[in-house]
Amino acid sequence: MHRIDLNCDMGEGFGVYTAGRDRELMKYITSANIACGFHAGDAATIRKTVKLALEHGVAIGAHPGLPDLAGFGRRTMQITPQEAYELTVYQLGAVQAFARSEGGELRHVKPHGALYNMAAASRPLADAIAEAVYKVDARLLLFGLSGSELIWAGEAAGLRTVSEVFADRSYEADGALTPRGTPGAVIADAGLAAEQAVGMIKRGAVRTRQGSELALKAETVCLHGDTPGAAEHAARLREALDKEGILVRRAGDPG
């Protein structure tokens, strides 16, 4: 029987600003990737999101990004592997502390935005992030783009990795996500997004923007909270998964 984890990027507000529909989406997901303050988030937002995840039995994850609040961490920056290591350790510590103070635990790590894409393609950056995660807590799960350098780096470091696929994003023939801003990069139709996710889980493949078939491993599906109609996407996906008999479970949980 197929099983899948559903994750969503959360806690991406800052100060008086809010982003996404965290409370509404939390009931559909099994893992929450919580912004750590660099690309979004702050102390109060981290704490609120941690508490919300605990209320719903959702796994708490850190979502470290580049230090770019103005660009929401989606702009590529030139950083060294040492800088990648240090900013990852720093941000993990923030969410880990709030998780523990609220009676929970940090379960996983998923880099955000440009940092995620950079680590997917650059083995030195991927190694630095994997080393940071391992040294903070070797029990943590490392989420990364299926088939990417981050997955291989995590396995080499001795971490348990979780291969991620995207319901609402299109893929390039080389396995990368289609860059935002490119026509068709974001799948706005909830039905099509759910169909793509089910296909990736059951067939282990996805049709790329170029029309080719791309083999991949699907262990967790990302839902973007800032996608228009995010709640509808989540509801339609859960409905499709139930219809196909696909179990929805937290990554790393037995059974």
Side-chain angles (χ1 to χ4, degrees):
M1 181 176 290
H2 296 284
R3 59 173 285 171
I4 196 70
D5 171 69
L6 296 182
N7 77 79
C8 187
D9 305 342
M10 294 192 155
E12 292 187 314
F14 184 82
V16 299
Y17 302 100
T18 58
R21 299 166 69 177
D22 291 3
R23 185 168 293 278
E24 187 173 353
L25 287 166
M26 195 70 80
K27 62 186 178 182
Y28 296 111
I29 66 170
T30 46
S31 296
N33 319 310
I34 301 175
C36 310
F38 275 33
H39 76 278
D42 56 21
T45 305
I46 294 171
R47 185 185 183 209
K48 179 177 70 175
T49 312
V50 163
K51 293 178 71 173
L52 186 62
L54 290 172
E55 289 172 11
H56 287 79
V58 170
I60 296 168
H63 198 36
L66 295 171
D68 181 22
L69 283 173
F72 197 62
R74 287 179 174 164
R75 300 182 293 191
T76 299
M77 296 175 64
Q78 297 299 317
I79 62 171
T80 66
Q82 179 177 329
E83 289 170 325
Y85 172 88
E86 291 163 350
L87 66 82
T88 300
V89 170
Y90 186 98
Q91 293 178 80
L92 265 57
V95 180
Q96 184 182 59
F98 276 110
R100 288 180 176 175
S101 69
E102 297 298 332
E105 63 175 345
L106 184 64
R107 287 282 303 271
H108 69 276
V109 178
K110 174 189 165 181
H112 164 81
L115 182 62
Y116 180 96
N117 292 326
M118 290 158 59
S122 168
R123 185 55 182 266
L125 288 180
D127 283 336
I129 292 170
E131 181 185 5
V133 174
Y134 185 86
K135 285 187 174 179
V136 169
D137 187 342
R139 299 170 299 173
L140 292 172
L141 304 176
L142 178 60
F143 286 25
L145 183 67
S146 181
S148 71
E149 293 291 348
L150 188 57
I151 292 294
W152 311 135
E155 293 177 353
L159 293 167
R160 180 171 178 183
T161 61
V162 180
S163 293
E164 181 177 41
V165 297
F166 290 77
D168 59 359
R169 295 291 303 277
S170 65
Y171 283 79
E172 299 296 288
D174 64 358
L177 298 177
T178 302
R180 288 180 180 272
T182 304
V186 177
I187 300 172
D189 185 284
L192 291 178
E195 181 181 338
Q196 174 166 290
V198 168
M200 290 187 289
I201 296 165
K202 298 191 72 173
R203 296 192 300 110
V206 67
R207 179 75 63 178
T208 70
R209 191 169 62 94
Q210 291 76 21
S212 58
E213 281 281 301
L214 174 70
L216 43 68
K217 184 177 183 180
E219 294 178 313
T220 186
V221 174
C222 177
L223 295 170
H224 283 108
D226 60 347
T227 296
E232 181 189 357
H233 275 254
R236 289 287 294 274
L237 179 55
R238 286 301 297 259
E239 180 182 354
L241 295 175
D242 290 342
K243 182 178 179 180
E244 294 293 331
I246 299 170
L247 297 176
V248 178
R249 297 287 188 272
R250 302 195 313 180
D253 279 0

